[in-house]
Amino acid sequence: MTTVRFGTTTFNFGLPLLIGLLLLVGLTGCASQDIHRKDGLSSARTFNPANLAKGEIDMVAELHQREALKSLRLLSEKLYRRNPQELRKSGHASTAAACERIFEQIPGWTDKSAPIPSWEEHFKLTFQEDYSGDRVRTFMTALTSMLMAAYDYKTAFFLTDSLSAQKLYNSARNLEVAVWKLSNAQSTHGAKLLISNSMDGEVANLSFEREFGKLIAQQDMLALVIEDRSNRSISRVFQNAAAFVFLPL
């Protein structure tokens, strides 16, 4: 028996219990070490009473979605920089303002106060040669709407919610189709409709490929987590990216 004093109060602990308490304190201390990102943001989360109605999987889903949307915003910025003619079409003076216009749509989709665009139609419109609109906005709206469809257009998840592993898996395959089209779509004169990765005659720029790869991996990993927790197997299909055909969500 070991005696421990906290202030004026004395507690008597058996050795196994004392060791367990010390381990718990140590683990709590480790868990409180926040991650500080390059952009100055921290991983620390303030306490929210709503979190009491969330399971671990709900918090994991929110984290994956948040990171996926960050990737989409970064890709939007990069596409506008690589395609300045599309920024001019957007009617905005800055890349930041043009990107904000894309992502400010999400709250309206979530609370159903705004119509949800058809992501399949937006993908097709992006690569029509005679399309005169802002291809970056159209393409990124399609990607964002498609990804949000995999989360049932929700940004907060609770114990009563149930995500579909199949939708998340399908969204990853659809991302692969969209990336292939982005990299290969050309006009009848051989010019790229949207410039992303570059290889020929330039310094290699594969940053788009890396960011899309991370995004696809995030969706696949969450799909596997949901599949494991729900005991509902994903139907895995071969997708021909060149056919520009998407899986349903």
Side-chain angles (χ1 to χ4, degrees):
M1 188 71 67
T2 302
T3 300
V4 179
R5 182 182 295 275
F6 291 96
T8 59
T9 305
T10 300
F11 298 89
N12 293 314
F13 297 102
L15 185 58
L17 179 58
L18 179 61
I19 293 173
L21 288 171
L22 290 173
L23 286 173
L24 179 61
V25 171
L27 289 172
T28 302
C30 292
S32 64
Q33 300 300 311
D34 304 327
I35 298 173
H36 295 281
R37 305 177 188 276
K38 290 182 179 180
D39 57 9
L41 298 178
S42 170
S43 65
R45 298 180 64 180
T46 57
F47 174 74
N48 186 336
N51 290 343
L52 298 175
K54 297 178 184 291
E56 289 182 1
I57 195 65
D58 300 312
M59 294 185 181
V60 169
E62 289 180 2
L63 177 62
H64 273 75
Q65 185 191 64
R66 193 161 57 245
E67 292 302 308
L69 290 174
K70 284 182 183 178
S71 289
L72 289 178
R73 183 178 287 269
L74 176 59
L75 286 164
S76 300
E77 294 172 356
K78 292 169 69 65
L79 278 172
Y80 273 124
R81 292 193 183 104
R82 290 285 281 162
N83 300 272
Q85 75 282 359
E86 304 304 321
L87 179 61
R88 290 191 291 271
K89 293 179 189 177
S90 75
H92 294 281
S94 69
T95 296
C99 291
E100 183 60 31
R101 186 184 175 197
I102 296 170
F103 293 93
E104 68 184 7
Q105 303 174 93
I106 294 176
W109 303 342
T110 302
D111 63 18
K112 297 181 173 58
S113 63
I116 298 172
S118 168
W119 50 269
E120 290 183 90
E121 291 303 317
H122 273 62
F123 275 132
K124 293 175 183 176
L125 186 61
T126 300
F127 300 108
Q128 286 182 10
E129 187 170 358
D130 60 351
Y131 181 51
S132 60
D134 176 356
R135 293 184 192 272
V136 172
R137 172 178 162 79
T138 305
F139 180 69
M140 294 310 303
T141 294
L143 278 183
T144 305
S145 178
M146 189 272 292
L147 183 132
M148 289 298 295
Y151 294 89
D152 296 325
Y153 291 98
K154 296 178 181 178
T155 54
F157 303 95
F158 301 94
L159 291 169
T160 54
D161 294 316
S162 178
L163 284 172
S164 166
Q166 189 67 58
K167 285 185 178 181
L168 291 162
Y169 172 84
N170 287 2
S171 71
R173 305 290 73 75
N174 289 345
L175 282 166
E176 291 172 344
V177 173
V179 173
W180 187 92
K181 190 68 173 179
L182 175 66
S183 301
N184 291 278
Q186 298 180 353
S187 70
T188 53
H189 303 292
K192 287 285 186 69
L193 294 178
L194 279 175
I195 298 173
S196 53
N197 292 320
S198 61
M199 291 292 290
D200 300 330
E202 303 179 47
V203 175
N205 175 1
L206 300 178
S207 58
F208 286 90
E209 183 176 301
R210 289 193 294 270
E211 198 63 36
F212 273 117
K214 182 172 73 174
L215 184 56
I216 291 166
Q218 287 171 343
Q219 293 299 97
D220 271 330
M221 180 56 67
L222 184 56
L224 289 174
V225 171
I226 300 293
E227 180 186 42
D228 182 69
R229 294 295 293 270
S230 66
N231 290 321
R232 295 180 180 177
S233 298
I234 296 171
S235 175
R236 291 167 172 80
V237 298
F238 174 76
Q239 185 75 335
N240 183 0
F244 201 39
V245 175
F246 297 98
L247 297 177
L249 295 178

